[in-house]
Amino acid sequence: MNLADSAFLRACRREPVPHTPVWYMRQAGRSLPEYLKVREGVPMLTACATPDLIVEITMQPVRRYGVDAAIFFSDIVVPLKAIGVDLDIKPGVGPVVADPIRDAKGLAALRPLEPDDVSYVTEAIRALTGELGGTPLIGFAGAPFTLGSYLIEGGPSKNHDKTKAMMYGAPELWHALMERLSGIVLEHLRLQIAAGASAVQLFDSWVGAVPAEDYREFILPHTRRIFEGIEGVPRIHFGVGTGELLGVLGEAGADVVGVDWRVPLDEAARRVGPGKALQGNLDPALLLAPWEVVERKARDVLRRGRAAEGHVFNLGHGVLPSTDPDQLKRLTDLVHEAGRPAA
């Protein structure tokens, strides 16, 4: 199959599709026994810098589920680690930064990303595109707000209080940090595209903590810069808890807006407006329920997704570690079958 003609890329471009395409955030990882086996004793950031492991882990869900796209196995903090930020991913906690950035001196330590910093990313993507054939590979990066929150807080945060204190109380420093991070993120995405990624997704996991008016002032210009700097591949924008931001997320410049499980897709289509495809949005927790429940809810997502100009089926966030892989296989088959256009 011609890669450009894949159902996933066609849906992203809002073109007719043979079936609704499907992939899952965090499809490569924690719920798969084959993943747990190859990761045994290997720290996360080591795995993310080992091309053979990246290729194997990225391919696992494609082989098992038959999804319509692969997503590159990595982590949003990889480019920060690559430029020398002292951080680690602690199991059960997440990214932890040794020296949080809270002043101009801390900001000065954030240098631009160079291609050689992430040569393992380029090497892995080149190998993957050969293996994947007609299946598209999605590259990704974390958005400046989410990366900035980790850097300012020193790790995951429930309230993002230090982050907001800088954003509201030291706006010049805030915009300087966002500008520095948007440059790093844009370079990281461009390198993935140059190596062969067919689409890219920008994860703004924590941006739902910000009201729409403040998003427009403090975040939108930097997100827009990233999307305007990417050409030639579909661009996906996703955040958690962003129901109130869907309209402004649509303005940031992506081709596809990811929707979490809190807003039905037909309502999301209304909020985002015309000219965009949507991605989502089954609640990942539903996969822990009996199959009859999963099937009913998935068919509802497909039905509501018809309100969008293009629909990529996904979960409303990442696959939960306790998910039975057989449920995801059944769900993939269901979406392919029930997501065919009416004759």
Side-chain angles (χ1 to χ4, degrees), residues 49-338:
T50 308
D52 289 352
L53 264 181
I54 296 170
V55 172
E56 169 59 22
I57 293 168
T58 302
M59 291 299 300
Q60 287 174 350
V62 179
R63 297 185 199 117
R64 185 184 270 261
Y65 303 135
V67 285
D68 294 281
I71 183 157
F72 186 69
F73 174 74
S74 189
D75 191 273
I76 63 171
V77 299
V78 161
L80 299 181
K81 181 76 172 178
I83 62 169
V85 175
D86 186 355
L87 62 81
D88 195 14
I89 298 176
K90 301 206 169 169
V93 179
V96 177
V97 178
D99 300 304
I101 293 176
R102 292 172 191 162
D103 54 28
K105 184 182 175 188
L107 175 62
L110 278 186
R111 67 169 177 82
L113 183 72
E114 305 287 345
D116 288 348
D117 295 327
V118 286
S119 56
Y120 44 86
V121 168
T122 303
E123 183 183 335
I125 288 177
R126 286 179 180 149
L128 275 165
T129 51
E131 278 206 41
L132 284 163
T135 302
L137 176 66
I138 305 167
F140 75 91
F145 177 86
T146 294
L147 293 179
S149 178
Y150 284 125
L151 288 173
I152 296 164
E153 304 285 345
S157 170
K158 194 172 181 181
N159 300 311
H160 310 281
D161 44 336
K162 294 181 178 68
T163 305
K164 290 183 176 183
M166 182 190 291
M167 188 172 80
Y168 296 127
E172 286 186 12
L173 178 62
W174 171 262
H175 283 294
L177 174 60
M178 291 295 101
E179 194 168 313
R180 188 73 54 92
L181 287 172
S182 60
I184 292 166
V185 169
L186 178 54
E187 178 65 12
H188 191 47
L189 291 173
R190 281 174 170 167
L191 288 169
Q192 292 175 68
I193 294 164
S198 300
V200 290
Q201 175 157 313
L202 189 68
F203 283 89
D204 212 347
S205 308
W206 307 133
V207 79
V210 179
E213 186 179 339
D214 296 334
Y215 180 96
R216 196 178 290 281
E217 179 180 352
F218 293 105
I219 299 162
L220 179 61
H222 308 287
T223 313
R224 189 176 270 154
R225 173 192 170 195
I226 293 167
F227 285 128
E228 286 177 350
I230 295 167
E231 295 178 346
V233 301
R235 303 156 296 176
I236 310 168
H237 195 185
F238 174 74
V240 184
T242 50
E244 297 303 318
L245 299 178
L246 285 172
V248 70
L249 288 185
E251 294 174 31
D255 306 290
V256 184
V257 176
V259 185
D260 80 0
W261 68 92
R262 295 170 175 88
V263 179
L265 285 181
D266 44 359
E267 171 60 16
R270 189 190 67 77
R271 294 185 190 186
V272 170
K276 306 285 178 187
L278 297 185
Q279 179 176 281
N281 71 338
L282 190 74
D283 186 341
L286 278 165
L287 289 165
L288 309 182
W291 169 249
E292 303 74 54
V293 179
V294 177
E295 180 178 9
R296 187 177 78 248
K297 293 287 193 179
R299 288 182 184 276
D300 186 59
V301 169
L302 286 166
R303 181 180 62 80
R304 293 176 185 275
R306 293 190 189 108
E309 294 177 28
H311 178 211
V312 176
F313 191 99
N314 206 312
L315 304 180
H317 199 195
V319 174
L320 297 171
S322 53
T323 304
D324 179 354
D326 290 342
Q327 288 276 65
L328 279 170
K329 173 59 178 158
R330 289 184 79 176
L331 177 58
T332 306
D333 293 343
L334 172 72
V335 172
H336 284 159
E337 181 64 35

